[in-house]
Amino acid sequence: MTTKIAVDANEMTFEILSNYCLSHMGSIKEYPFDETTAVYKVGNKIFALIDEASRPPRINVKCDPFYARELREMYTSVIAGYHMNKKHWNTIICEGEVDDASIFEWIDDSYDLVFGSLSKKAQNQIYSS
């Protein structure tokens, strides 16, 4: 469904994260909270948020609760979702500990969780647009 982008995790940028989020079918970017928090939605539901003011980049993604907890135990740069439901969201600090392929996989998983929660009508509208 999406195109994989290969980058060195130490070179992860807001632009790479943003472009990858926007590469997902039907995704849009908005700034509903402030001018530095980019919110990525599909079917009017959030699947990722990027804090554009943070250095290094940080991205929040939705995650299966059990897997979210496991990832937090495996990586110091994966923490409970900042300003989000800590059970379902993780914040990834893109400082090089986590490789880019994993970050992109977690974005894909987040998108898939949200897309799968949409009504069949909403899914079909995205497929046909």
Side-chain angles (χ1 to χ4, degrees):
M1 194 181 319
T2 59
T3 303
K4 299 291 181 194
I5 303 170
V7 296
D8 179 347
N10 292 321
E11 297 176 12
M12 185 61 74
T13 65
F14 299 110
E15 293 78 17
I16 292 168
L17 290 169
S18 181
N19 289 339
Y20 192 76
C21 288
L22 290 171
S23 74
H24 291 75
M25 182 175 34
S27 66
I28 62 167
K29 178 168 86 171
E30 297 178 341
Y31 293 86
F33 304 121
D34 57 43
E35 59 278 345
T36 63
T37 305
V39 175
Y40 299 85
K41 295 181 176 182
V42 61
N44 209 29
K45 290 188 175 187
I46 299 171
F47 72 92
L49 299 94
I50 300 174
D51 177 5
E52 296 178 341
S54 68
R55 301 288 185 269
R58 292 175 177 240
I59 183 169
N60 286 11
V61 292
K62 193 164 192 169
C63 192
D64 169 81
F66 298 107
Y67 190 46
R69 184 178 216 151
E70 182 180 322
L71 293 174
R72 291 179 213 150
E73 291 172 3
M74 291 172 55
Y75 301 100
T76 58
S77 59
V78 177
I79 59 176
Y82 183 70
H83 284 305
M84 305 297 284
N85 179 323
K86 311 279 187 250
K87 181 177 179 182
H88 296 278
W89 289 84
N90 277 344
T91 296
I92 306 156
I93 305 164
C94 302
E95 60 189 359
E97 178 188 18
V98 178
D99 64 276
D100 57 300
S102 294
I103 295 170
F104 294 140
E105 180 181 329
W106 299 338
I107 293 169
D108 293 344
D109 290 348
S110 182
Y111 174 88
D112 291 343
L113 280 169
V114 174
F115 186 84
S117 74
L118 299 175
S119 69
K120 293 296 177 194
K121 180 180 178 181
Q123 290 178 4
N124 287 334
Q125 287 175 334
I126 292 166
Y127 284 132
S128 63
S129 59

